[in-house]
Amino acid sequence: MAEFAGVSVSDISASASGQQPFVAAACFDPGQLRLRLPDSVEIRFDLKTAQVLRLSAVTLLFVTGESKSGNEDKNSFSRALKFEFGTENESRDFCSAVEKCRHGKINGTSEGSLENGTVIVHKSKFDDKIESTSAKMYFHYYGQLLHQQNMLQDYVRTGTYYAAVVENRIDFHGRVVVDVGAGSGILSLFAAQAGAKHVYAVEASEMAEYARKLIDGNPSLRERITVVKGKVEEIDLPEKADILISEPMGTLLVNERMLESYVIARDRFLVSNGKMFPSIGRIHMAPFSDEYLYVEIANKALFWQQQNYYGVNLTSLYGSAFQGYFSQPVVDAFDPRLLVSPPTFHTLNFTNMKEEELYEIDIPLNYTATVGTRVHGLACWFDVLFDGSSVQRWLSTAPGSPTTHWYQLRCVLSQPLYVMAGQEITGRLLLVAHSAQSYTINLTLSVKMWGPGAEQGGILQTSTGKLDLKEPYYRLSQPQPYAWAQDQQQPQQQISSLQDLSPQIQDAVDPALMQQSSPNSTAL
């Protein structure tokens, strides 16, 4: 194995504050790196515990949980060293040597180098709970610029993040920031614009390389941003963060299960009382009536009612096909007048919740119908709060608000419920995480007795549905004006107008409503 002489080494560990850089020779033994100093002192590092990332073409950061000197074999402590090489080729050869020596071969390769931010890692909790095929498709998707462009062009999303950062410069100026799931690096650049001391842009997909290029193309900011390629569950960073920033929201807030990584990053990297942008998320829910949507979904299964399809009777599969179409949540933008009661919400506080609380989310439902109609299911959307020291900003995906790339989501029941104005609707929304980075949605809605004898209780109707959030029906046409059925005439008298519903539908812009509580909300 080659020896690397004349390497400039700076110990940037907290315990080595004030030490001057020194020159050493770096060489390798099986599983170990040896640094030989001019005064014959030798320091050894166990490569099994080491993390290596590239800071520039000739500069590497080497972090290890253990080091041993020649005469103090029992002394073990954490070290973070910055290595500076004479040439880029020498730096790459060193990275290749680390890969080869750590386990003989790393990830099945014996050649190559660590590009900007690539980290040598071990199997993590992420790998234990997520299917490898799902993770591969997930990181492939977000490693493509066309998908990043789709998110960047969501001006509600991007503009709200920008405003939340630059309007709260007091929180970012002179602070260390970790961007969790950095993607193109746009949020890291926003943080640097707001005066961050240093930003670590953590991205596990191949988008990390594009992020490096984008950041390099902004010379006034690039010296304060380091791209780290790897999962937050696996990487190590040389210092704690004062602020975490991330865009971990998926459809219905929780899809893709990135919120768990956001919470893990909080526990691993954030200082005590550090800030999170965003800090709170809320899932909003309300029963809805949409006859057109129900008929559209039901009609899809009519294909299976053919009794003579090239001489074959398909009808035995009709029931399964019918239920299959109703197992898909509908993603689209809908008219808020379709809601048959004011919404409620369930709160997730990212600053103090446990990762395990995201494995199963159980939300009780209770509503009072404002109109006599058929209830076809439950409509859902979300918002998140950026709780800055100067300005509080909400990012909302509510119906009636400017449309985002998340749209809204509706769980449609195969068996609608009939309700009268003033009738109580109860139920349960249970979200259970699965290994394909999404959730199984279990929905139950019930309508209680109406009229004489109702005070004795009892359930009149119940409808249930089981849907897979991983496989939605993207119905992304613009919301159409709805003609009210005969039993829905004079909607101003029978259903609250958008203005009447706005305290709940549009509460995303009113931080004061955070103080409200509901049967479906948790304490902030």
Side-chain angles (χ1 to χ4, degrees):
M1 186 64 65
E3 177 176 304
F4 299 85
V7 180
S8 176
V9 182
S10 301
D11 192 339
I12 60 174
S13 309
S15 59
S17 177
Q19 287 191 11
Q20 296 299 313
F22 56 91
V23 177
C27 50
F28 294 85
D29 292 327
Q32 283 192 335
L33 166 67
R34 290 188 291 118
L35 286 184
R36 193 167 60 246
L37 280 62
D39 53 2
S40 299
V41 174
E42 191 170 84
I43 306 175
R44 301 177 186 177
F45 298 91
D46 185 352
L47 294 178
K48 292 182 180 180
T49 64
Q51 307 287 333
V52 182
L53 62 93
R54 184 179 293 280
L55 299 181
S56 71
V58 296
T59 306
L60 300 177
L61 183 65
F62 184 93
V63 182
T64 181
E66 180 181 355
S67 64
K68 296 178 181 179
S69 63
N71 57 2
E72 293 179 302
D73 288 346
K74 295 183 180 180
N75 185 28
S76 177
F77 49 92
S78 178
R79 299 288 290 274
L81 304 177
K82 185 169 71 173
F83 289 2
E84 294 190 18
F85 297 86
T87 67
E88 183 174 355
N89 286 339
E90 189 177 16
S91 157
R92 289 182 175 177
D93 289 344
F94 180 87
C95 292
S96 179
V98 170
E99 289 184 324
K100 290 177 181 178
C101 284
R102 188 164 179 260
H103 291 300
K105 289 185 178 182
I106 300 296
N107 298 328
T109 65
S110 59
E111 300 293 338
S113 61
L114 295 180
E115 296 302 329
N116 185 349
T118 304
V119 180
I120 300 175
V121 297
H122 55 274
K123 184 176 175 67
S124 71
K125 188 175 183 180
F126 179 92
D127 300 310
D128 293 333
K129 66 184 181 182
I130 300 299
E131 293 176 359
S132 60
T133 53
S134 174
K136 183 177 180 180
M137 292 177 64
Y138 174 76
F139 292 124
H140 173 73
Y141 179 91
Y142 284 107
Q144 300 179 65
L145 282 175
L146 69 158
H147 298 304
Q148 293 292 329
Q149 180 177 335
N150 179 51
M151 293 184 289
L152 291 173
Q153 288 182 319
D154 181 344
Y155 298 113
V156 175
R157 164 198 179 268
T158 307
T160 303
Y161 268 91
Y162 179 76
V165 172
V166 300
E167 292 175 348
N168 289 288
R169 291 177 182 271
I170 188 173
D171 294 321
F172 287 85
H173 186 75
R175 306 296 174 83
V176 175
V177 179
V178 172
D179 182 357
V180 181
S184 66
I186 191 68
L187 301 185
S188 296
L189 289 162
F190 290 171
Q193 286 178 342
K197 174 184 176 183
H198 201 85
V199 184
Y200 295 93
V202 182
E203 173 57 41
S205 79
E206 294 306 312
M207 187 53 56
E209 175 61 21
Y210 290 111
R212 183 190 66 79
K213 290 182 179 179
L214 181 63
I215 291 164
D216 283 348
N218 290 267
S220 64
L221 304 174
R222 66 186 178 195
E223 296 302 321
R224 290 183 285 123
I225 304 175
T226 299
V227 177
V228 182
K229 186 181 180 186
K231 303 182 184 75
V232 295
E233 292 86 351
E234 300 171 351
I235 65 161
D236 287 324
L237 296 176
E239 55 188 328
K240 290 284 189 177
D242 302 298
I243 297 182
L244 292 189
I245 190 168
S246 182
E247 195 265 77
M249 302 88 73
T251 308
L252 193 59
L253 183 61
V254 297
N255 187 40
E256 298 178 345
R257 297 184 65 178
M258 190 180 164
L259 285 175
E260 294 165 40
S261 296
Y262 190 38
V263 170
I264 290 171
R266 177 202 69 193
D267 293 339
R268 296 197 66 208
F269 303 132
L270 191 63
V271 299
S272 178
N273 298 319
K275 280 190 169 291
M276 299 178 73
F277 276 55
S279 58
I280 285 172
R282 299 185 300 185
I283 301 173
H284 298 254
M285 303 144 290
F288 73 93
S289 178
D290 192 340
E291 203 71 47
Y292 296 106
L293 175 61
Y294 179 82
V295 171
E296 178 184 328
I297 295 174
N299 282 349
K300 291 182 178 183
L302 292 180
F303 170 85
W304 298 96
Q305 285 194 330
Q306 297 180 81
Q307 297 181 13
N308 187 8
Y309 180 76
Y310 295 95
V312 177
N313 188 336
L314 303 181
T315 58
S316 60
L317 295 180
Y318 170 73
S320 298
F322 184 84
Q323 292 300 326
Y325 282 116
F326 280 96
S327 71
Q328 291 185 284
V330 177
V331 176
D332 69 349
F334 65 84
D335 192 322
R337 290 175 297 177
L338 296 176
L339 302 179
V340 302
S341 79
T344 55
F345 63 84
H346 177 82
T347 301
L348 301 175
N349 191 330
F350 308 138
T351 65
N352 58 26
M353 70 182 306
K354 297 179 180 178
E355 175 199 352
E356 290 74 18
E357 293 177 44
L358 291 162
Y359 293 173
E360 187 171 297
I361 303 171
D362 194 354
I363 308 173
L365 307 173
N366 189 278
Y367 306 97
T368 300
T370 57
V371 62
T373 188
R374 287 214 304 175
V375 172
H376 294 102
L378 191 71
C380 307
W381 59 94
F382 70 86
D383 54 30
V384 294
L385 171 66
F386 301 95
D387 189 15
S389 299
S390 299
V391 178
Q392 285 189 331
R393 279 208 173 258
W394 287 92
L395 171 56
S396 173
T397 66
S401 297
T403 303
T404 70
H405 77 283
W406 291 285
Y407 295 90
Q408 293 97 42
L409 180 136
R410 287 184 284 175
C411 301
V412 186
L413 295 169
S414 61
Q415 180 58 56
L417 302 171
Y418 292 85
V419 298
M420 300 292 291
Q423 198 166 9
E424 186 179 11
I425 304 169
T426 59
R428 180 190 190 202
L429 181 66
L430 177 63
L431 307 175
V432 181
H434 59 63
S435 60
Q437 290 178 272
S438 194
Y439 284 78
T440 299
I441 303 172
N442 298 278
L443 173 64
T444 300
L445 287 181
S446 300
V447 179
K448 289 191 174 182
M449 287 287 189
W450 181 254
E455 63 275 5
Q456 276 74 47
I459 301 296
L460 182 61
Q461 305 168 72
T462 295
S463 185
T464 62
K466 185 175 183 180
L467 307 94
D468 188 354
L469 187 57
K470 180 78 171 183
E471 300 292 340
Y473 164 37
Y474 290 100
R475 184 177 180 257
L476 302 183
S477 59
Q478 292 299 312
Q480 302 297 317
Y482 285 83
W484 295 90
Q486 186 63 36
D487 62 348
Q488 294 175 318
Q489 294 299 316
Q490 298 180 346
Q492 294 300 322
Q493 285 73 40
Q494 294 189 348
I495 184 171
S496 298
S497 67
L498 177 59
Q499 288 73 28
D500 293 331
L501 286 176
S502 61
Q504 288 77 30
I505 293 177
Q506 299 177 349
D507 58 1
V509 299
D510 185 2
L513 286 170
M514 288 179 57
Q515 306 303 320
Q516 293 185 358
S517 61
S518 74
N520 301 54
S521 62
T522 58
L524 298 184

